[in-house]
Amino acid sequence: MSYARLIEATGRVNDFLNAGSILSWDARTMMPKAGAETRAKQLATLAVAARNLLCSDEMKRALEGAEAEVAGKLESSAEARIVAQVREAISYHERIPTELLRRKTELGAAAHEVWAEARENADFSIFAPALTTMVDINREMAQAIGFEDHPYDALMYRFEPGTTTAGLSTLFARLRDGMIPLVRAIADAEKPRSDFLFRDYPVDAQMEFALQMAKRIGYDTDRGRLDTTVHPFEVSFTRNDVRITTRVATDYMPMSLFGALHEAGHAIYEQGINPAYTRTPLATDLISLYAVGGVSFGAHESQSRLWENHVGRSRAFWANHMGDIKAAYPGLLDDVTDEEFYRAVNRSEPSFIRVEADELTYDFHIMLRAELEAKMVDGSLEVAELPDAWNTAMKDYLGVDVPNDAQGVLQDVHWSSGQIGTFCNYTIGNIMAAQLFETATSENPDILTALDGANYTPLRGWLTDNVAQHGRRFTRDELLENATGRALDPEPYIAHLTRKFTDIYALS
Ligand code: ZN
């Protein structure tokens, strides 16, 4: 009975969080700007209500009874995992004083304005005082949450449980060793032709083609929809209502297409979660308080990157779909072969803007941010020293000179809202994507044959069986062990990038 009560009560937490997700989807797609102030309050109210219900006496009573009821179950059973996760989530949230959360929320609202002004003026000193306070608040949060080695570990826990600063540092060093020689070699190599990507592509045709390709790889639009936003995103309310957005530039067509494929990858993950997990903690992130079924932010990113990069940016994909894209844009691509198109959408060029970075250079933007965040959090880097540290790392990693603070240290919104510790999930996602794709295709050559024939069902089936269906039942590392036989391993990713870019750029 207690277990049933626990499921009922956590279902209501999921309802609050989903209501918040719907308000947030609306805010980002439909809402007039003037609604922003009230909407922020509504979202905060729902998040607090969800947290308070999670930490309520009612929940704790149900949890205690449920723990006794599932005591005989296997530790890896869905029931035992649910009970353990609720216990951990309550403990996590109770460690963070509400007073600290209130200060963080209030500063977040104010700091956003200050950051926007600083960015407009390309002047970091305007933002520095707010960021200093934000870093202090995050350091207090880390102390409250607790950690073994490094305070940054406590902050990453919310987004990527199990990730440590020491582990990231080893991972990053290996990536740098594998990738810097490629970046340097490509800088001197002849660039593939890409002029045709910048032609005048009609907005309606772009949205139609983006949706056509998202559906083609398996995004189910009977349980979803595609809209246009400034920043593309995916949001799921249940596995039966998973929405995506993309952005459109009339003079740069790949943005809408790969935005849609990326978000469709996230959506396919959520649409594939075991229906029995709906409204339970196995489809609710009770730590980050987000009604999502993916097991970590990095695991989620692995699915979007896999479909976007390993499928959508593959040679086979364009050998198969060049006819489709030519039909979608009559007359615009008549002078382009599938091989030229494939090379153009894989063009690599170091830039100082993260969101515009290509597959090969993206991770350097992430390493730089994660490393600087960790140093600010442990006090070894003062906020005042941040712009210099940023520009130096950009030069070291990508060989580029940052022209000003707006295009350097001030480019991301994350710090203004107080979010520190999220960036690593992008790189972990890239690594996981390559590891999963390598296992799927090497153990099942039929999957590769099917991809060569534009049949995406076998790959999607493997990903559903090995990743999506489990929701949050297994940890990220358990999921990887079960699917690939080993923990997070950067080698398949480095091998993939080396193979692909050596070929495209004819490097020896
Ligand atoms: Zn993503």
Side-chain angles (χ1 to χ4, degrees):
M1 266 314 283
S2 292
Y3 181 77
R5 283 210 328 272
L6 184 72
I7 291 297
E8 203 286 317
T10 48
R12 280 186 281 132
V13 174
N14 178 280
D15 293 340
F16 277 121
L17 296 174
N18 264 314
S21 294
I22 294 166
L23 288 185
S24 142
W25 174 84
D26 171 75
R28 296 165 80 178
T29 54
M30 303 286 168
M31 187 185 75
K33 259 200 179 129
E37 205 184 324
T38 323
R39 185 57 52 88
K41 290 197 167 68
Q42 294 159 348
L43 283 166
T45 299
L46 284 169
V48 169
R51 186 229 170 253
N52 291 345
L53 176 53
L54 177 66
C55 298
S56 65
D57 292 341
E58 176 201 355
M59 188 72 75
K60 287 175 188 164
R61 275 195 302 274
L63 178 62
E64 267 164 39
E67 278 172 334
E69 278 175 36
V70 306
K73 300 256 185 200
L74 270 181
E75 190 260 337
S76 62
S77 67
E79 293 88 344
R81 287 295 165 101
I82 285 176
V83 166
Q85 285 177 19
V86 175
R87 170 70 66 195
E88 167 58 13
I90 292 174
S91 152
Y92 175 88
H93 289 289
E94 287 192 335
R95 273 176 271 159
I96 304 172
T98 43
E99 158 66 13
L100 188 56
L101 272 185
R102 187 187 58 73
R103 269 163 53 212
K104 191 179 174 200
T105 312
E106 280 178 10
L107 178 63
H112 185 84
E113 302 295 315
V114 180
W115 165 77
E117 194 201 329
R119 195 170 74 150
E120 207 170 301
N121 292 291
D123 182 356
F124 180 74
S125 69
I126 298 174
F127 183 50
L131 182 58
T132 304
T133 313
M134 202 53 105
V135 170
D136 288 345
I137 288 177
N138 270 278
R139 294 171 71 168
E140 277 185 64
M141 300 265 301
Q143 293 299 334
I145 294 164
F147 55 87
E148 275 180 22
D149 293 324
H150 196 286
Y152 192 53
D153 301 354
L155 300 177
M156 288 191 289
Y157 182 80
R158 183 178 162 204
F159 309 101
E160 207 56 37
T163 302
T164 63
T165 312
L168 272 189
S169 151
T170 309
L171 204 60
F172 288 170
R174 177 67 194 108
L175 289 182
R176 277 198 289 270
D177 278 355
M179 290 155 68
I180 285 182
L182 277 176
V183 173
R184 298 282 186 269
I186 284 173
D188 300 328
E190 196 187 327
K191 301 270 177 281
R193 167 187 178 208
S194 66
D195 58 291
F196 47 85
L197 299 178
F198 301 88
R199 289 171 182 165
D200 194 11
Y201 290 90
V203 171
D204 289 352
Q206 286 198 43
M207 288 303 284
E208 213 172 292
F209 185 64
L211 184 60
Q212 180 191 339
M213 286 296 113
K215 285 162 83 164
R216 195 71 180 70
I217 61 167
Y219 175 49
D220 178 359
T221 48
D222 289 338
R223 301 187 283 143
R225 56 176 288 134
L226 172 70
D227 293 277
T228 320
T229 46
V230 181
H231 300 289
F233 67 95
E234 171 271 336
V235 62
S236 71
F237 309 131
T238 76
R239 70 191 296 281
N240 291 323
D241 183 356
V242 185
R243 306 182 191 185
I244 61 173
T245 72
T246 193
R247 58 179 168 168
V248 184
T250 50
D251 59 353
Y252 186 61
M253 173 265 287
M255 207 179 256
S256 59
L257 172 61
F258 290 102
L261 288 177
H262 179 98
E263 302 307 334
H266 282 300
I268 290 168
Y269 189 0
E270 293 289 325
Q271 289 184 330
I273 286 165
N274 184 340
Y277 296 168
T278 301
R279 277 182 90 246
T280 77
L282 300 183
T284 318
D285 185 343
L286 295 173
I287 300 284
S288 77
L289 289 179
Y290 193 50
V292 60
V295 69
S296 75
F297 285 60
H300 231 293
E301 204 59 22
S302 79
Q303 301 304 288
S304 56
R305 296 284 171 161
L306 192 151
W307 286 105
E308 177 193 356
N309 288 334
H310 293 265
V311 178
R313 285 186 217 270
S314 70
R315 184 173 267 134
F317 194 82
W318 292 106
N320 285 313
H321 297 298
M322 201 60 208
D324 295 329
I325 198 167
K326 285 187 178 184
Y329 304 114
L332 281 171
L333 290 164
D334 288 355
D335 59 333
V336 183
T337 66
D338 52 347
E339 180 65 18
E340 283 176 315
F341 195 87
Y342 161 69
R343 285 164 186 258
V345 298
N346 282 295
R347 205 176 139 112
S348 173
E349 206 147 18
S351 93
F352 32 79
I353 305 293
R354 176 181 62 88
V355 297
E356 288 167 12
D358 55 72
E359 192 183 356
L360 178 61
T361 58
Y362 194 89
D363 295 292
F364 291 96
H365 296 264
I366 298 309
M367 291 183 224
L368 173 155
R369 285 159 176 77
E371 286 164 351
L372 296 180
E373 282 187 344
K375 285 183 185 165
M376 285 195 289
V377 170
D378 72 21
S380 60
L381 180 73
E382 295 292 326
V383 165
E385 301 165 336
L386 190 60
D388 277 348
W390 180 287
N391 297 347
T392 305
M394 264 295 165
K395 186 79 180 169
D396 283 352
Y397 291 169
L398 291 173
V400 295
D401 293 301
V402 176
N404 57 53
D405 291 347
Q407 292 178 300
V409 67
L410 290 170
Q411 67 183 267
D412 295 312
V413 70
H414 302 61
W415 292 338
S416 75
S417 64
Q419 274 198 55
I420 293 181
T422 70
F423 283 114
C424 68
N425 70 70
Y426 294 105
T427 291
I428 287 170
N430 286 335
I431 292 169
M432 274 183 80
Q435 191 174 340
L436 290 166
F437 189 78
E438 187 209 49
T439 302
T441 52
S442 66
E443 288 181 2
N444 310 274
D446 293 355
I447 291 180
L448 219 46
T449 315
L451 290 175
D452 285 340
N455 175 8
Y456 305 106
T457 310
L459 176 61
R460 205 170 57 249
W462 191 92
L463 291 169
T464 306
D465 290 349
N466 287 281
V467 181
Q469 63 151 331
H470 302 297
R472 301 178 56 79
R473 178 169 164 192
F474 300 111
T475 65
R476 181 200 75 199
D477 288 340
E478 286 172 338
L479 202 71
L480 268 177
E481 290 272 359
N482 293 342
T484 71
R486 59 203 197 279
L488 193 66
D489 173 11
E491 298 311 323
Y493 182 46
I494 295 170
H496 156 77
L497 293 172
T498 306
R499 216 166 33 235
K500 184 177 197 174
F501 288 95
T502 301
D503 170 64
I504 291 174
Y505 282 87
L507 311 172
S508 50

